[in-house]
Amino acid sequence: MNEFKRQVTATHYACLKALAPYVSFETCQSVVIQVKRKADTHAFFQMLMSRVETDFHSQIHRPSKTREAIQELLKLDTFCLNDEFKEEIQEIAKRIGVTKKDVEGVLKMMNVESKRTNQGRMKRVDGVQSVDDMAQKFGLSHEQVIEGLINMAKSKGALYEKATRAELRKEGFTA
């Protein structure tokens, strides 16, 4: 392993090390090849983790701040100016009783669509990240993404796995 570590860049090694427990070698290779910047190192890993967390909070009906934040953010489905969007996030944070930074952390689990108009830049929450989105962004097959989701959910526990499988079935995939 040390020999391999010396042969590749630090960002590629970090990406591989994070993904190896959850996905196959071919999937790791496909994702690692796409890492060009330091910021891309854990992008796929974070997408998998975010999806597993949102699946858990949408299926398991326990009161939590994360669940409340997800539900409130999903209501921001119409385009609004960036300043209005930031104000909405601040209001959600105040309503739930958490910091704005916490809500922005949950927002990273979502698909945020942006567009530019004559009025200015506009944003909206387009829902949670789907298998299609992840597969398309990283050039993977649906099966490779689902394998990563299931394995990551298994590592977090039986409830996470059950919730992820249920959400995948809702999306039309057999898991």
Side-chain angles (χ1 to χ4, degrees):
M1 192 68 158
N2 286 334
E3 181 64 31
F4 177 75
K5 188 176 180 179
R6 279 186 243 133
Q7 298 287 329
V8 297
T9 64
T11 53
H12 287 151
Y13 181 76
C15 180
L16 186 66
K17 188 175 177 184
L19 290 176
Y22 307 109
V23 295
S24 67
F25 174 76
E26 291 79 19
T27 307
C28 281
Q29 185 179 19
S30 299
V31 174
V32 168
I33 287 171
Q34 296 176 31
V35 174
K36 304 287 185 233
R37 315 173 298 147
K38 212 170 197 176
D40 298 335
T41 304
H42 298 292
F44 185 63
F45 177 81
Q46 290 296 331
M47 284 184 112
L48 290 175
M49 184 67 78
S50 297
R51 173 62 193 262
V52 168
E53 285 292 328
T54 54
D55 288 349
F56 176 76
H57 288 291
S58 66
Q59 285 289 315
I60 308 300
H61 302 292
R62 291 184 185 153
S64 75
K65 302 292 184 184
T66 306
R67 179 174 164 67
E68 288 179 49
I70 290 170
Q71 289 175 337
E72 291 293 321
L73 286 170
L74 287 173
K75 293 177 186 175
L76 299 177
D77 58 352
T78 57
F79 279 104
C80 57
L81 293 172
N82 268 1
D83 294 335
E84 295 170 2
F85 193 78
K86 289 177 183 175
E87 288 173 16
E88 287 289 334
I89 290 174
Q90 184 67 41
E91 287 177 28
I92 290 170
K94 193 180 292 182
R95 222 180 354 229
I96 296 173
V98 296
T99 65
K100 182 180 175 184
K101 189 174 182 177
D102 293 337
V103 176
E104 288 171 345
V106 174
L107 184 63
K108 289 180 182 178
M109 296 180 186
M110 310 281 183
N111 279 337
V112 179
E113 187 179 345
S114 301
K115 72 177 184 179
R116 193 171 176 180
T117 63
N118 293 339
Q119 298 170 338
R121 295 183 187 274
M122 303 182 93
K123 286 184 179 180
R124 76 179 179 118
V125 175
D126 195 28
V128 297
Q129 296 168 345
S130 68
V131 172
D132 289 331
D133 296 335
M134 288 187 266
Q136 194 172 36
K137 181 173 181 176
F138 292 98
L140 303 171
S141 68
H142 291 135
E143 291 78 23
Q144 290 173 310
V145 174
I146 290 169
E147 172 198 14
L149 288 170
I150 296 297
N151 289 339
M152 185 166 285
K154 280 181 184 176
S155 73
K156 292 187 69 79
L159 286 176
Y160 281 88
E161 181 184 0
K162 182 179 175 185
T164 299
R165 287 184 187 276
E167 286 296 314
L168 287 171
R169 280 192 295 276
K170 274 187 190 177
E171 231 178 290
F173 297 106
T174 55

